[in-house]
Amino acid sequence: MADVLADIARVPEVEAMDLDRRLRDADRPFVVRGLVAHWPLVQAGRRSARDARAYLLRHHRDRAFAVSVGAPGSGGRLFYDAAMRMNFREARATLPDIFARIDASEGRDDAPAVYLGSVDVHDFFQGLHEANHVPLGDRDPIASLWMGTRSRIAAHNDTPNNLACVAVGRRRFTIFPRDQFANLYLGPVDNTPAGRTISMVDFHAPDFAAHPRFRDALDHAQVADLDAGDAVFIPAMWWHHVEGLADFNVLLNYWWRETPAWMGQPQDALTHAMMAIRDLPADEKAHWRAMFDHYVFDGGDAVTAHIPADARSVLAPLTPESAARIRGFLLQQLSR
C-alpha cells in the first residue's frame, strides 16, 4: 500500500489565520500545520510518550474508561475476525491501569493494540479543555480524545464536520469524497466496530481482485500525514481511514453539525428504509422512490400549495416542535 499511497494527492495546507472563515466556507479537507503546537499536552508528548500520559493522568477524573484491546499480531487493525465478530475485546478500567498496561508493553513488536476512542473531554477530564482547546466561535462542538498504541481504523464517515488535532504521536489520514462509498466496499450497517459502517478493504494489503473498484477510490483519495501539533479538517460525510503511527498517539477532535440538534439522523431513516422498502416488489419500490422524491428530495411549493398554510403540519418547514411530533409518531408506530 505504501507504493500506492505514493501516488495519492496530499490534502492541501492552509495557514491558521482566519480559521473560523475557512471552516465556514470549506467543502473539502484541509490541513493546518502547527495549529495546536502550543498546547501543554503537545509539549509534554514532545518530551516523551510517558510525559504525555503523566500529563493526562494529572487531569483525568476517577472513573472507568472504555478501552478496546486488540489481539496480538493484528498490527493494530481494529476490525472483524474471520467470523465477522470483532477482533478486539472491550473492557472498562481506570486510566492509570490502562496506561500502566501501555507502559509495560511499550516497545514490544507483539504488544496488543490498546485503544480508547471517543472519550468525552469534559466528562472524563478536569482542566484539560481549558488548557488545550481550539476556539471555534459560536459552534457548539463535541470534544473527544482518541488515545492508544499503534492502530489502524478502517475507512468510515461521520455525520458532523470534524476538526482533528494530533496532540501526541503521528497520524495518517487517507480521505475520500462522499460519493466514493460504493468503491470502498462497505460492510454491515448494524454490525460495526464503533457504530459507523466501515470499508472492508485492508489498506495495508488491498485485494484488488476482490475489491477492484477500490482502484477508482484511490484515484479520488487524499493523504494527510500529521505530526503532533497539526490538524486536519474533514467535512461531514467524507470517508477517512486513520492510522496511529507512533507507539503512543493522542488525537483531540471536534465534531459539530451545521443543522439543528433536534433534526433526526439520516442514517436512522436509511436503516428503516432497508427494513420497510428495500425488499418490496419492484413496482412498489418505484412508487416509494417517487414519493421520496416528491416529499424529501424535490419538495418545493407543489407539495403544499394546495394546503392552507396553517394546516400543513409536518409538511411545513421543520421546527423543534414539529420534529418532536414526528419523533413521537415514529416511536409509536415502531413499537406496535
Side-chain angles (χ1 to χ4, degrees):
M1 186 61 179
D3 293 339
V4 177
L5 287 178
D7 296 327
I8 294 178
R10 295 280 157 175
V11 175
E13 298 182 13
V14 304
E15 297 296 325
M17 63 182 66
D18 199 13
L19 179 63
D20 180 77
R21 179 187 60 80
R22 292 189 183 280
L23 292 173
R24 187 172 59 250
D25 297 341
D27 60 358
R28 297 180 181 279
F30 62 79
V31 166
V32 186
R33 298 290 179 192
L35 178 66
V36 299
H38 61 285
W39 283 0
L41 176 56
V42 174
Q43 298 300 317
R46 285 179 174 168
R47 291 191 296 272
S48 72
R50 290 186 181 237
D51 277 0
R53 292 194 286 273
Y55 180 85
L56 290 165
L57 288 176
R58 289 197 293 272
H59 293 278
H60 85 291
R61 297 183 189 274
D62 185 16
R63 56 187 304 183
F65 285 62
V67 59
S68 299
V69 181
S74 64
R77 190 184 188 205
L78 302 179
F79 194 68
Y80 301 102
D81 63 17
M84 289 297 290
R85 296 184 296 261
M86 301 306 143
N87 71 343
F88 55 90
R89 62 181 179 85
E90 296 180 326
R92 299 186 70 81
T94 66
L95 194 61
D97 287 345
I98 295 169
F99 282 177
R101 176 167 188 160
I102 293 176
D103 288 340
S105 60
E106 192 169 39
R108 283 175 39 198
D109 292 338
D110 62 343
V114 178
Y115 187 75
L116 298 92
S118 195
V119 179
D120 188 284
V121 171
H122 299 284
D123 287 349
F124 286 84
F125 293 88
Q126 189 167 15
L128 188 66
H129 166 78
E130 288 75 10
N132 305 267
H133 74 277
V134 177
L136 289 172
D138 59 359
R139 298 171 183 85
D140 185 22
I142 297 172
S144 303
L145 277 175
W146 310 76
M147 305 179 287
T149 58
R150 294 178 182 269
S151 59
R152 296 164 52 198
I153 306 302
H156 60 284
N157 71 3
D158 301 302
T159 303
N161 292 308
N162 184 1
L163 181 67
C165 306
V166 175
V168 181
R170 294 177 294 115
R171 300 257 177 175
R172 165 170 284 183
F173 288 78
T174 308
I175 306 174
F176 304 84
R178 297 170 178 173
D179 62 5
Q180 289 304 303
F181 65 91
N183 295 330
L184 293 174
Y185 294 89
L186 302 181
V189 300
D190 57 336
N191 174 29
T192 70
R196 299 296 297 173
T197 306
I198 64 171
S199 170
M200 299 297 291
V201 179
D202 183 348
F203 278 37
H204 277 203
D207 183 347
F208 291 112
H211 309 126
R213 293 193 309 276
F214 185 58
R215 291 189 186 277
D216 296 328
L218 290 174
D219 288 340
H220 297 85
Q222 299 176 67
V223 172
D225 287 319
L226 304 183
D227 292 320
D230 297 339
V232 61
F233 171 68
I234 305 173
M237 305 304 293
W238 281 57
W239 303 88
H240 46 287
H241 177 276
V242 188
E243 299 177 68
L245 300 175
D247 287 339
F248 182 65
N249 304 274
V250 180
L251 179 107
L252 199 160
N253 89 303
Y254 300 92
W255 276 324
W256 69 93
R257 295 178 67 184
E258 302 294 348
T259 52
W262 42 261
M263 285 186 65
Q265 292 288 345
Q267 182 65 49
D268 294 339
L270 177 63
T271 305
H272 189 209
M274 293 177 187
M275 178 183 74
I277 298 174
R278 185 191 59 196
D279 295 336
L280 290 173
D283 62 324
E284 294 186 26
K285 280 204 295 187
H287 168 74
W288 282 108
R289 183 192 298 271
M291 292 284 280
F292 270 75
D293 284 342
H294 180 71
Y295 282 108
V296 178
F297 297 109
D298 295 336
D301 293 340
V303 176
T304 56
H306 58 288
I307 305 173
D310 60 355
R312 292 172 183 173
S313 187
V314 299
L315 295 180
L318 277 178
T319 65
E321 293 73 25
S322 61
R325 288 202 303 275
I326 294 174
R327 186 172 288 106
F329 174 78
L330 287 174
L331 289 171
Q332 182 182 44
Q333 294 299 307
L334 290 171
S335 65
R336 293 171 64 180

